[in-house]
Amino acid sequence: MMKRKRKNTIKLSISLVLLTVLSIGLGYTFHKIFNGTKPTIKNSDEINYEVKPFERKISLVMVGDALYHDGVYKDCYDSSTKTYDCTHQLELIKPIVSNFDLAFYNQETILGGKELGLSGWPNFNSPYEVGEAFIDAGFNLVSTATNHSYDKKEQGILNSREFWLKQADLGVIAAGTYKSAQDRKESMTKIYEKNGITYAFLAYTKGLNGYTLPNDKDYLANIFDYEQAKKDIEAVRDKADVVIVSMHWGTEYRTTADDEQKELADFLFQNGVDIIFGNHPHVLEPMEKRTVTLDDGSTKDGFVIYAFGNFISDQNAENTRNSIILNLT
């Protein structure tokens, strides 16, 4: 059966602006061109069609890891009320984020809530108030697929997923961990729309720090598998104008992409992905526009940032405080 072609073409262009501390700002133009037709009737036997192109745009802003060590979540604690409030940590970023249609971040640590016992490295668990602060700042696109997703086992994922599902009415989309096979299927095949542009958002991690999921519950976290990822992308590729994938991959503290990251990027692009958000190394890695050759001989452009670096953390090692705010239009 011939697959229906994606209905629109995508043009990509990139420009770079050097910043300080938050090292690089990037403007990236992602134009969607649609052809509209307007009939002009000259007489009863003749109709001329005038083709008029027009643009539709989505603006996006993206940051890296929300890595909540003990010191970071304890900074949210108010001893007088015995409650957590992390909004002050993002007050300077909120005016920037609120200007964009979509705002992405990587929730590195599981939001299992106080009932599971808050903790830092090596088995993290963060308060729900972390997610509330990011939502308050304007973030609405979240990856929960990380090597720490299973730090609090199944209950941690279930608590986290319930929290994020409650935010759906606020327009918040979280991908990567799920409470059931049906939940995963519905999330992974859902098509979203903004400003007349449709998009899909998928998220994967390369591993869970040595943990393995129960045999009958592989839906809990999206551990990357070539065959499954291909099926996931095929399910949305011809329905969405733009396919976005968040990948938790790479080598920690390495400032360049490794061979596996490059191979995975090509695989994703060749199967229909347009934009890849990378995380895991906790340092800033390069970004690039890639052109790949498809099975039919045609070529396709895609954009990848291999790692954003830490957005908020308590790390002090070399390069772990270099990060990025990435802007795509």
Side-chain angles (χ1 to χ4, degrees):
M1 181 182 294
M2 183 176 293
K3 295 181 179 178
R4 182 171 65 86
K5 293 184 178 180
R6 296 171 73 179
K7 59 186 178 182
N8 301 304
T9 59
I10 300 168
K11 295 179 65 178
L12 308 178
S13 64
I14 305 170
S15 63
L16 294 174
V17 179
L18 187 63
L19 302 179
T20 59
V21 184
L22 292 174
S23 303
I24 303 172
L26 182 147
Y28 172 87
T29 304
F30 197 92
H31 293 295
K32 301 299 300 178
I33 307 300
F34 294 75
N35 288 330
T37 59
K38 181 181 179 181
T40 302
I41 300 176
K42 289 188 175 182
N43 55 55
S44 59
D45 299 321
E46 181 182 3
I47 300 178
N48 291 333
Y49 291 90
E50 181 182 2
V51 177
K52 291 186 176 182
F54 62 95
E55 287 186 339
R56 291 176 180 172
K57 298 181 181 180
I58 303 177
S59 61
L60 302 92
V61 66
M62 290 140 291
V63 301
D65 302 330
L67 179 56
Y68 269 71
H69 296 89
D70 304 63
V72 187
Y73 71 73
K74 286 179 181 178
D75 178 63
C76 302
Y77 187 67
D78 184 340
S79 58
S80 64
T81 61
K82 297 183 179 181
T83 59
Y84 289 84
D85 185 345
C86 304
T87 54
H88 67 280
Q89 295 178 336
L90 303 176
E91 61 185 0
L92 297 181
I93 202 76
K94 184 174 180 178
I96 298 173
V97 173
S98 60
N99 289 323
F100 292 84
D101 295 318
L102 297 177
F104 167 86
Y105 86 101
N106 176 58
Q107 183 55 58
E108 181 75 23
T109 54
I110 197 76
L111 301 186
K114 291 180 291 186
E115 59 265 38
L116 296 184
L118 302 181
S119 56
W121 187 88
N123 292 307
F124 290 90
N125 181 42
S126 304
Y128 300 128
E129 286 81 359
V130 170
E132 291 173 357
F134 274 83
I135 294 169
D136 176 74
F139 290 93
N140 54 18
L141 205 61
V142 187
S143 171
T144 59
T146 81
N147 57 310
H148 291 289
S149 294
Y150 205 56
D151 279 3
K152 290 296 180 179
K153 307 302 185 291
E154 180 178 356
Q155 195 59 52
I157 289 177
L158 295 178
N159 285 11
S160 170
R161 185 58 177 166
E162 285 298 333
F163 168 81
W164 289 112
L165 287 175
K166 290 176 182 177
Q167 316 309 316
D169 289 343
L170 300 176
V172 178
I173 303 165
T177 54
Y178 305 98
K179 64 179 183 178
S180 66
Q182 184 63 26
D183 180 27
R184 183 190 188 279
K185 180 180 179 180
E186 290 176 358
S187 175
M188 296 290 285
T189 57
K190 191 166 184 178
I191 305 300
Y192 303 93
E193 184 273 335
K194 188 70 177 180
N195 300 343
I197 298 175
T198 55
Y199 64 95
F201 177 54
L202 313 177
Y204 302 91
T205 179
K206 281 292 294 175
L208 297 172
N209 286 344
Y211 291 124
T212 56
L213 299 173
N215 290 333
D216 58 343
K217 295 183 178 180
D218 58 354
Y219 55 78
L220 287 170
N222 274 349
I223 300 176
F224 184 85
D225 173 81
Y226 280 93
E227 184 177 350
Q228 184 61 55
K230 187 173 183 177
K231 292 179 181 177
D232 293 339
I233 297 165
E234 285 178 348
V236 297
R237 182 181 55 202
D238 295 334
K239 301 175 184 177
D241 297 320
V242 185
V243 179
I244 303 169
V245 170
S246 174
M247 285 294 297
H248 212 74
W249 59 3
T251 305
E252 287 188 328
Y253 313 116
R254 174 173 170 151
T255 57
T256 58
D258 60 31
D259 290 340
E260 184 183 50
Q261 284 171 286
K262 294 178 181 179
E263 291 170 4
L264 285 170
D266 281 344
F267 169 82
L268 292 170
F269 290 142
Q270 287 166 349
N271 282 278
V273 174
D274 299 296
I275 303 173
I276 303 170
F277 304 153
N279 280 296
H280 176 59
H282 301 304
V283 296
L284 180 62
E285 290 187 344
M287 64 197 77
E288 61 180 337
K289 184 173 77 170
R290 299 284 288 274
T291 301
V292 296
T293 302
L294 305 181
D295 292 340
D296 62 3
S298 63
T299 59
K300 174 186 179 300
D301 286 342
F303 177 79
V304 56
I305 174 166
Y306 291 105
F308 288 90
N310 291 326
F311 177 64
I312 184 168
S313 79
D314 199 20
Q315 290 190 316
N316 291 296
E318 185 178 8
N319 298 316
T320 57
R321 295 207 172 193
N322 293 337
S323 190
I324 191 172
I325 298 173
L326 177 62
N327 169 26
L328 291 80
T329 303

